[in-house]
Amino acid sequence: MNTISEYSLAAVLLVIKLFTLSMYVPVDGENPVITAVIFTIMSLIKLCTLIPLFYCAKKQGGYAALSGRFKAFGCIFFALGAAGLAAAVSDLLSTAIESVYPDRYTKFSITLIFFFICAYIASMGIKGFSRCSAGALFVILPLMLFVFYQMRGALLNDRLNFYADRPLPLINQTVKNLLEYTVDYFIFFGLLPYLKGSPSRAAGIYICADIIIVLLVLLTSASVMGSFWDNSGYIFFALSFSTFGSVIDRSDGIYLAISSGAAIICGSALLIVLKDSLNFFNGAKDKNILLISAAALTAICVFADNLQLSSQRLITPICLFSAAVLFIISCISAVRIKRIDVMKNERTAQS
Amino acid sequence: MKRIYYFLIIALFSLIYFNNGAPPEIADRIMIHAVGIDRTQHGYNVTMQVFSPSGTGSDTAIDPSLPNVSLVSGKGITVNDAMKDCIIKLGGNVFLGQNRMIIFGKSIDLSKKDDIFGYFLASSDTFMNVDCAMAENTAAEILSVPIPGSAISSEKYPDMIEAAAADGRCLKTTFLDVIDSLESHDIAVILPIFSKTQKQTEGKSSDSAEGKESGGDEALPESELEIKNGALIVGGRARAQLTYEQMGIAGMLNGMGEYIRTEIKYDGVSRTKTFKLRSREVNVTRSGDDIDIYITCRLSPKDAQIFHSKRHDHNADMEAVKLLEKKSQALCDQLCAADSPELLNADLYLKRYFPSLYRQNKDDLDRLYKNISYHIKYM
Amino acid sequence: MDQKNPKPITYRNFDSAYFVKNLNENILMLRTVLDNTMDLNIMPVRIDSIDCAVITIEGMVSTSAMAELIFRPLTELDGSGQTPQTIMDFLCTGCLMSNERILISDLGQAARLLFSGFALIIVDSTACAAAFGIQGYEKKAISSPMMENNVMGSQEAFTEVVRTNISLIRRRIKHPSLRFEMMQIGELSNTDVCLVYIRGRTDEKMVARLRSDLKKIKLDCILGTGYIMPFIESDSPRLLFSQVGFTERPDMLCENIIRGRIGILIDGNPFCLICPYLFSQNFASADDAASKTYFTFFMKLIRYIAFFLATAFPGIYLAAVNYDPEMLNAQLLSNLSASEKTTMLPLFSETLIIMLLLEVMREASIRLPRAVGAAMSIAGGLIIGDAAVKSGLISSPLLIIVGITATASYVLPSINQQMSTLRIMFILAGGFAGFFGITACALMTAANICSADMMGIAYTSPIAPFIKGQAADVFARMTFEQMQDKKTTINDFS
C-alpha cells in the first residue's frame, strides 16, 4: 500500500520549512526576537486551525467534505494551487541563486531543469519520496547545526531585545511576511490521503520541530537580521556569507546545497499533489503525467521569466486562500460528522 | 521511461553549459588575498596583494620560502573606480572570495559607505567575515611588507590579529561589524592598527668563515609589522585612538573581546598579566532621570593551572584585577563625561531594558546620555 | 503401458513422448531425439536372453563407477532365470547401484538425466527405464573466494556444480528445517536452479512468489546469475541498485538464510543469489562476525566513507573548485590554482578523461593475461601517474583524487557497477551545475534507492522506515549475546 507514517510526513514538512526559511527575506529594521515571538504564536494558531481536521480524522479517518461531488472541486483546487506554488518555488530558487552567484548560474538554467529533477523524484512514488526526504533531513540538520555552531556567539547577546522604532507597523509587516511562508499548510493537506497514522501526531511533531528550528535560525541570525542582507535579500545566503569555519572556509556552498535540496523536495511534493489531482480527471491512465506536467511548468516559467513576470507574488495569495479554504472545509466536515453522530445517537435511542 | 529524465537533464545541462554557461576556470581566476584602501587628494588608491605562485612548473606548485604574491595598485574617484583600474591592469577574472584582509589607510573616512564599500557590497564574492584593520600611515605601506614564514603572506595578517587578541592586545573586527556600525550609530567598532617599524639587527657576517675580513658589524634591515593601538570607529568616523590596554577594556565591556592585558608593578617587579573573561553580566537600573549601567565581569588568569596550591603570585593577580577595574571605570567615566556612552553599547542596553524611554528620546539621545553612568566590577 | 507418442518424434516434441515396450524402438527414439549425437553411448547387454541397453553420454559418467556399480551387478544377474520385470525390479528396488536412482517413463526426463550424468538402463518389454546417478564429469575443486576475500573467516567458495554447493551449505547447517528445492529453468539449457531456505524462518509467501517468478522464466538458457536477477527483482530496469544480492561464500549465504532470506543456487555458476537484499548489506563483510563490535563499527564507517569517496568525491571536488572556490582553504586553493595553471585542458575535461581512463584500466586489468599483468601495472602507473602530470595533461591534485577514488572503489566490489556509473553522473552534475547539480544528483540517487522494495520489504530498511531494534546493525553488528536473545529475521522489516 502507498502510505507513509506520521514521522515521514513531519520530515517532509520540515524539509519544506527549511526551504522557506532559507528564502526568508527580512523586512527593513526587523527585530528577530519579535519575529521569533510572532512566529511561535502563529504556529500555535496554525495548530489550532487544524483541530476540526483532527476531529474528522479521529471520527472517520478523513474529511467528508472532499468525497463525492466535492472531490472534483477539491482536485481542481489542489491542481491549480500545486501548479502555482511549484512555479513560485522554482522562481524563488532560481532568482535567489542567480542574484547570489550571477557569474556562475542563471535563472534560465535553473528553471530549465528544476521541474524535471522534481518530476523524477516524484515518480519514485510516495514511499520513495518520503524516505528520501527523511534522509535529506538527517543530512541537512547536522550540516546546519555545524554551521550555526560557528555563529553561536550571536545567541543571547546584548543585541537581543524587544525594541522596535515603530512596534505596531513592524509587527504588521512581520506577520504579513511570515504569512508568505505557509506553503507547508497546503502540502500537509495535499499529502494527507497518503497518511496512515494520526494527522494530529504528524502536525504536532512538525510544529514542535518547526518552532525549535526557526527560533534557532532567527536568534543566531540576530547579528545580520534587519541590518544587513546580501544582494539577494535572502537570510540564508546572508548568513552563509557571514560564517567562517574551521573545516570549511566559507560555507555558502553548503547553504546552496541545503537550499537547493530543500527546494527540490518541496517541488517534488507539489508535483505529487498535482499528479494525484490530475489523475482524478484522466483516470490514472497516463503514465507520463509527471513528465508532461514538468515540461508544461518549465515552459510556463520560462515564458513568464521572459516576460519578466514574477510568480513569487502568487505565493501569498495561494497560501492564504488555501489555508482559508482548507480550514473552512475542515470545519464543515467536522460539523457534518458531528450532526451525523447526533442523528445516529437519536436513532439508537429511539430504537 | 525513467531513463528519459536522466537524458533530458544531462542534455539540458550540457546545452546551458556549452552556451556560455560555464564558470571561469580556477586557473583563470586571479586571486586577491588582501586589499588596502587609502585616501588620496583626488579620490582613493587601492592596493591589492595578488596570488602569484613562484613554483609553477616545478615539482612543488608553491615555493614557501617566497611571498607568492605581487602588488597591484589602482586609483579612482571612488574605491569602485580604483578596483576597476586594478582589474584592468591584471586582466581576467578577479576573485575576491579568498580575500583575507581589508586594511584602511589612516586618513580614510569610513562613513562614505557607497564610495568605499560599493564595490565589495555589489560583488557576490565578498565575504562578510573578512578581517578589517587600519594602517598607521598608508595601507599600501603595510601591504608592501613581505612577511616570511607562510606560503601566502596575507595569511599572516589575520594570524597576527588572532595572536594579539588571544593575548588581550587587540580585538578582531570583521567587515560585517564595520558595515553594521555604519548602518546604525549605536554600534562602535575598534579596528586594530598595523604599524611598520624598522629594526636593525647586528650579526656576524657569514663571510668571516671563508676568511674574508668582516668589516665590523653588518646591519641587516628587517621590516616588522606590529599591532600597537586601535582606532575606535563610530558611524564610520574615528573617534579615538586606544592603547592595547584600552582596546582590551573596551572590547570586554562591549562584549567583543575575551582577553585583557595589563602591566603592574608588584613587589618592585614589573610584570604583565593577561586575563580571560569567564562571564559578563549587565544590569541597568533607573532612578528618576539617572540611568546606571552595572557591568560585572568574572576574570581568571590566562595561564591559570587547574590544580595548584595557593599561587605565589595570586596577590599579584588580585592587584592586577583591581588595577584593571580602576582603569575600566576611568575609561567609562571619561566617555560618559564626553557624552559618548554609546561607544560602550549604552544604546543597546537602553533598548533592552528601557525601550519606551529610548523610543521617547530617540531624536535627542544626547539628553539621555548625560544621565548615564557606568559601574564596573571585576571579580 | 504404451502411451500414444507423437509422430514423428523430434527434438521439438520429445517432452510428450514416452518409452514403449520394445527396446529397439526406445533406442531408435532416443537416437532420433538426440540426432545421433557422437557422445551418445549405447551398450547393448544380454541378461538371461533378455535384451537390455545401458545408455550414457560420453564424458558425463564415471567409467570406474560404471564398471563397479552398473556392469558388475548386471553381469552377476546372468544365468539366474530372470524375466524383464524381475530385472527391472532388481534395478529399481533390489540393488544399491548408486546414490540416486529414478524410474522414468518419458523421453524428456530421460534426455535431461542423461545430460546430467545419469546412466539409463532400458530392459526389453518394459516401457520404462532406470536412471542411476554416477556423475563423473570434470569439475573444479573448491577454491578460495575471488571477490569476497577476508582475513579470519572460511576460505571456501562455491563451485560451478550445484550439488557440491548444496553439500557446502548442508555441512554448515545440520538441521532438518534447511530445505532445498530443485527446478530446471531454461528451455534449452534446463539448468538446475535450487532454492535454499530455512523453513520456519522464511516467509512462505516469499518462497511461493519466488518459485512462481522463476517458473515464469522462458529464456532459452540460464548461464549465470544475471539471467535470473531481472525476473525476480521488482521494477528492475528503473533501479540503480539491485534488490538481489549475490555471494560466493557458503558462510555468508548461511548467515543470510538463517535470517530468513532465500538463496538461489544456479548450476554452472559459482555465485549464489540472495533475496531480499538490503542496501546496508552491501557494506557488510565476512570479517564482521569475527571482529569485535567496536572494530566492526569502525570498519563499516570506513566502508561508508569509501562509498562516498568512490562516488561523489570527484564530483564534489569539481564543484568546489569550479563553482565554490571560496569554500576551500586558501592554501589548498592556491596550490590547486598553481597546479591547474600548467595544464592544457579545463578541469572538467581532465576529470572526465582521467575517470574514463580509470575504467579502461580496470577493464583491462580484469581481462589481461597474467603474464603481462605486472607490465600493465607499471605502464598504467607510469603513463597516467607520471607522464600525464609532467606533460601537463592533468594536474597532480587531480591524480591524488583519482587514486583515492580508485582505491575506495575496491572496498566494495559488490556494487562496483553502480559506483562507476554514479561517479560519472556526479562528475557531470558537479561540472555542469556545481553544488546545485551535486544536490540534485544526490537526491535523485537517494530517491531511486529509497523507492526500491522487494516483497514488502523496503530496500533501505531498517533506516527508512526506521526500525528501532535493527538500526544499529546498519552501522555496527549486534553482539552475539544480543543475537542469541533476539533471533531477528528479514520478516521483522516488513
Side-chain angles (χ1 to χ4, degrees), chain A residues 93 97 101 104-105 110 113-114 116-117 120-121 123-125 127-129 131-132 136 241 247-254 256-258 260-262 264-265, chain C residues 238-240 322-330 432-437 439-453 458-460 464-465:
Chain A
L93 179 75
I97 293 178
Y101 303 106
R104 300 170 206 180
Y105 300 97
I110 305 283
I113 38 140
F114 179 75
F116 292 107
I117 296 169
Y120 179 82
I121 293 173
S123 70
M124 292 294 135
K127 281 192 168 170
F129 165 70
R131 287 172 202 157
C132 179
F241 279 93
V247 175
I248 299 167
D249 249 16
R250 270 70 159 166
S251 47
D252 55 307
I254 297 181
L256 173 63
I258 291 172
S260 317
I264 289 169
I265 299 280
Chain C
R238 171 174 76 87
L239 298 172
L240 271 169
N322 274 350
Y323 285 83
D324 280 285
E326 58 268 6
M327 256 184 84
L328 300 170
N329 179 269
F432 283 142
F435 277 100
F436 177 80
T439 309
C441 192
L443 278 174
M444 287 166 75
T445 308
N448 190 294
I449 295 172
C450 291
S451 67
D453 68 50
Y459 189 55
T460 47

Side-chain angles (χ1 to χ4, degrees), chain C residues 171-185:
Chain C
R171 273 172 35 208
R172 284 169 170 83
I173 301 178
K174 300 180 180 106
H175 196 277
S177 59
L178 174 66
R179 286 210 68 206
F180 296 93
E181 276 181 32
M182 192 75 85
M183 56 186 83
Q184 282 73 38
I185 304 175

